[in-house]
Amino acid sequence: MSLGFMALKWAIWFMVIAHWIKPVRPLSTNSAQSLPKNRSDSYTVALHKALLFFNAQKSGKLPKDNGVPWRGDSGLLDGSKLKDVKGGLVGGYYDSGENTKFHFPLAFSMTMLSWSMIEYPHKYHAINDVKVGGAYENSKVPDDFSCWERPEDMDYPRPVQTSYAGPELAGEMAAALASASIVFNDNPTYSKKLIKGAEALFAFARDPQKRRPYSRGNPLIEPYYNSTGYYDEYLWGATWLYYATGNVKYFMLATNPGIAKNAMTLRWSKKTSILSWDNKIPSSLMLLTRVKMLYTPVKSSENILSEYQKLTGFSMCSYLKPFHLFNWSKGGLIQLNDGGPHSLQYVANAAFLANLFADYLNATGSKGWFCGTKFFTVATLRDFASSQIDYILGRNPLKLSYVVGYSNKYPNHVHHRAASIPSNGQKYSCKEGYKWRDSMKPNPNTIEGAMIGGPDRFDQFDDDRRIRGSAEPTLAGNAGLVAALVSLTSGGGGNGVDKNFLFSKLPPP
Ligand SMILES: *[C@@H]1O[C@H](CO)[C@@H](O)[C@H](O)[C@H]1NC(C)=O
Ligand SMILES: *[C@@H]1O[C@H](CO)[C@@H](O)[C@H](O)[C@H]1NC(C)=O
Ligand SMILES: *[C@@H]1O[C@H](CO)[C@@H](O)[C@H](O)[C@H]1NC(C)=O
Ligand SMILES: *[C@@H]1O[C@H](CO)[C@@H](O)[C@H](O)[C@H]1NC(C)=O
């Protein structure tokens, strides 16, 4: 693969993003001061905020009305030393509280946002203002991890990584472009371009010569976004490509028992329940179960689809407290990563999957599903989803919203360079910036809508800017939160999923 293609890839990529999230204006502050009584209203308020976080993370030249007054243009020279890239690396999104653009979690985030738009287009249409459409650890050299500077003031080298291998990165980006191509259905030229990019990336991912994990041994990536395997991206990429193109060859791949076996064990494990940027098995199984439930599946694949459906059903059971397949905090938060860092991103993803599955069931006219011999209604799943999102929004022992700017009590020492340094025209150097990271004072800038890492397994949380695992927001975390909130809101003339939009490229059943 030539660098020329890589350049095209980035260009397509940033086009997707530029089209995607138009500036979102915050709602009037009145409506946000306290938890509204009406749950659906509260989810809508939170959704507006959660989307605003993506504006705060923008890199490159910002639109005039970006909705985040303390952010400005930044990273305008990104990639300028690479002749073939020609400015194609300017733009995009900073991943978290650092000023790095990691494409692996970014692609996952974009796929999740696309997915939620495809399932619930009517709800997005109903929302005002939203249009649907690296560094070395312990380095001696100044860089993104050893400096604490606003992105607008960055004055250290910004190394660019080019991938010549990496099935998981290519597979995830294929999923992102394929899902975006469905979102952009109403623009056939653009949609075709996205499919072309997705197919090329997926071919790269499947190339036997390129099957080296993208993060392994890379000191710029492995400590931050290590990928533990690429078979889940095969399932995920193939599934989205099937939906994007209608080509059965992708469906055969996504239901290939060998690939399924390599990706998981075809028996339930935590891996089939815990969706994250590093594990797309639950989401792939969910989407393939959707084929089984709401479309006429290809005959030869019926057996394996039944297996996928069973696993998905079982994963839904695993979210229910009585089964105790996961621990729960006393305050009611499911412990999907056993008190590890960034606990809430897993919870938000699980809430999305649960409510989505409830919607799939309801769309088939089913009242529920079985866990062993016991029947549970869809309401059980909806209660799980809303209980977890309510916890995130403040119904927890600390009465603290983990989404910044939501309700009247939220963290204000968020681990975030731009939010923690005043935006007053004064520039702080690489090391001077640390006085802001280590300051006991609240952040001078409120990063509206950012869902931070989250509490520990005892429902405790230290509002301490230095602790990334609890005080840092990420794109992937917010993308899952957005998906869950969209799923839980009502409005736009229907609460359930749009049955057909996802199937629009497939032949009529
Ligand atoms: C709650 O808010 C939603 C969205 O604004 C609205 O459709 C619904 O009727 C409200 N429910 C109640 C009980 O007020
Ligand atoms: C990254 O994941 C691989 C595979 O699971 C593992 O062998 C490696 O130790 C991980 N690296 C880090 C830094 O955790
Ligand atoms: C629950 O937590 C305990 C204590 O930390 C641990 O030993 C156990 O493995 C956890 N159970 C599950 C299902 O994760
Ligand atoms: C569930 O399905 C019924 C019947 O098709 C429909 O009227 C209702 O709106 C659906 N509810 C949700 C929350 O999707």
Side-chain angles (χ1 to χ4, degrees):
M1 179 176 289
S2 71
L3 256 178
F5 176 74
M6 297 302 287
L8 173 69
K9 183 179 83 180
W10 298 125
I12 292 174
W13 185 239
F14 288 125
M15 260 182 335
V16 174
I17 293 166
H19 273 73
W20 213 311
I21 300 165
K22 299 275 163 58
V24 185
R25 247 163 264 119
L27 293 183
S28 71
T29 41
N30 275 353
S31 60
Q33 285 318 302
S34 57
L35 275 170
K37 293 276 179 307
N38 182 337
R39 261 187 175 175
S40 192
D41 269 350
S42 65
Y43 296 145
T44 307
V45 171
L47 175 60
H48 273 88
K49 291 191 181 283
L51 282 165
L52 197 60
F53 171 69
F54 290 90
N55 291 18
Q57 297 304 98
K58 270 188 194 157
S59 181
K61 188 120 189 77
L62 298 192
K64 229 189 187 141
D65 183 7
N66 187 42
V68 184
W70 43 272
R71 281 297 327 279
D73 297 348
S74 66
L76 297 178
L77 296 176
D78 282 5
S80 59
K81 296 231 171 78
L82 290 182
K83 272 196 227 84
D84 299 25
V85 177
K86 292 199 193 90
L89 294 180
V90 175
Y93 289 82
Y94 298 116
D95 175 64
S96 56
E98 334 296 348
N99 301 331
T100 299
K101 300 187 275 196
F102 285 110
H103 289 89
F104 188 49
L106 172 63
F108 171 72
S109 308
M110 293 300 146
T111 313
M112 289 296 286
L113 294 177
S114 283
W115 188 7
S116 70
M117 287 180 190
I118 293 164
E119 298 282 10
Y120 303 104
H122 48 291
K123 297 193 189 183
Y124 272 100
H125 286 304
I127 304 171
N128 296 333
D129 287 341
V130 179
K131 301 240 175 64
V132 177
Y136 297 90
E137 214 166 22
N138 308 319
S139 167
K140 303 275 184 312
V141 187
D143 68 18
D144 191 37
F145 288 88
S146 63
C147 294
W148 192 269
E149 292 183 64
R150 303 174 68 233
E152 291 78 1
D153 295 338
M154 292 183 294
D155 49 9
Y156 43 82
R158 290 179 52 76
V160 173
Q161 297 288 293
T162 308
S163 283
Y164 297 99
E168 53 285 82
L169 180 57
E172 183 64 69
M173 292 184 71
L177 295 186
S179 57
S181 80
I182 302 170
V183 172
F184 289 103
N185 245 353
D186 57 353
N187 182 344
T189 315
Y190 187 52
S191 186
K192 278 206 191 92
K193 222 176 188 169
L194 292 170
I195 289 176
K196 215 171 150 201
E199 292 201 287
L201 281 160
F202 197 69
F204 177 95
R206 293 284 297 153
D207 184 340
Q209 307 290 312
K210 309 254 159 60
R211 290 193 193 168
R212 267 195 327 277
Y214 95 107
S215 57
R216 206 65 41 83
N218 186 332
L220 292 165
I221 298 174
E222 188 168 345
Y224 310 102
Y225 284 103
N226 192 23
S227 167
T228 50
Y230 48 78
Y231 277 90
D232 60 320
E233 283 84 9
Y234 284 167
L235 277 185
W236 184 228
T239 302
W240 277 112
L241 272 164
Y242 169 57
Y243 281 130
T245 63
N247 189 334
V248 173
K249 105 179 161 188
Y250 292 117
F251 181 75
M252 296 322 270
L253 203 65
T255 53
N256 177 300
I259 291 192
K261 202 153 184 258
N262 275 316
M264 47 190 162
T265 53
L266 283 177
R267 276 177 32 220
W268 181 83
S269 71
K270 289 189 174 180
K271 233 174 145 177
T272 49
S273 281
I274 307 175
L275 171 61
S276 75
W277 54 266
D278 188 31
N279 178 31
K280 274 79 60 170
I281 289 167
S283 48
S284 307
L285 296 183
M286 180 65 73
L287 280 169
L288 292 162
T289 296
R290 196 192 205 273
V291 174
K292 177 96 185 339
M293 291 171 78
L294 300 175
Y295 185 77
T296 309
V298 180
K299 267 265 169 299
S300 63
S301 303
E302 235 164 83
N303 285 346
I304 189 145
L305 284 187
S306 296
E307 288 303 309
Y308 287 179
Q309 185 174 13
K310 250 192 250 160
L311 283 168
T312 298
F314 203 84
S315 294
M316 297 300 122
C317 307
S318 78
Y319 296 156
L320 306 182
K321 212 170 180 175
F323 292 102
H324 219 95
L325 285 162
F326 295 104
N327 282 324
W328 288 69
S329 75
K330 280 216 175 69
L333 190 69
I334 190 169
Q335 298 297 300
L336 294 171
N337 70 334
D338 279 325
H342 292 280
S343 53
L344 294 180
Q345 60 175 325
Y346 307 96
V347 176
N349 289 340
F352 170 59
L353 291 181
N355 204 61
L356 186 63
F357 191 63
D359 282 339
Y360 289 177
L361 286 169
N362 190 62
T364 64
S366 172
K367 297 227 174 320
W369 86 116
F370 279 96
C371 296
T373 54
K374 208 164 171 340
F375 188 79
F376 287 88
T377 64
V378 291
T380 324
L381 282 174
R382 298 198 194 285
D383 286 349
F384 164 74
S386 53
S387 72
Q388 299 306 294
I389 296 300
D390 290 349
Y391 182 109
I392 292 173
L393 295 178
R395 193 167 297 177
N396 57 55
L398 298 179
K399 309 235 176 314
L400 176 82
S401 161
Y402 289 96
V403 175
V404 176
Y406 187 84
S407 93
N408 47 21
K409 192 177 170 202
Y410 49 81
N412 48 31
H413 294 76
V414 177
H415 178 102
H416 193 276
R417 285 160 172 73
S420 68
I421 303 176
S423 144
N424 57 7
Q426 186 173 345
K427 189 184 148 138
Y428 298 92
S429 70
C430 174
K431 295 299 172 205
E432 278 167 2
Y434 276 94
K435 78 170 189 205
W436 295 106
R437 190 200 66 171
D438 300 334
S439 159
M440 299 311 278
K441 291 200 197 121
N443 285 356
N445 306 310
T446 304
I447 183 156
E448 291 262 344
M451 180 181 82
I452 60 163
D456 65 17
R457 63 204 166 97
F458 306 108
D459 303 301
Q460 293 307 306
F461 166 77
D462 257 342
D463 193 4
D464 183 336
R465 202 180 286 112
R466 292 164 304 183
I467 308 174
R468 292 182 57 203
S470 55
E472 185 178 39
T474 62
L475 294 177
N478 260 67
L481 176 68
V482 165
L485 287 168
V486 170
S487 168
L488 285 167
T489 53
S490 52
N495 297 342
V497 287
D498 183 317
K499 255 203 239 188
N500 301 318
F501 189 23
L502 182 62
F503 299 143
S504 50
K505 301 276 178 72
L506 309 186

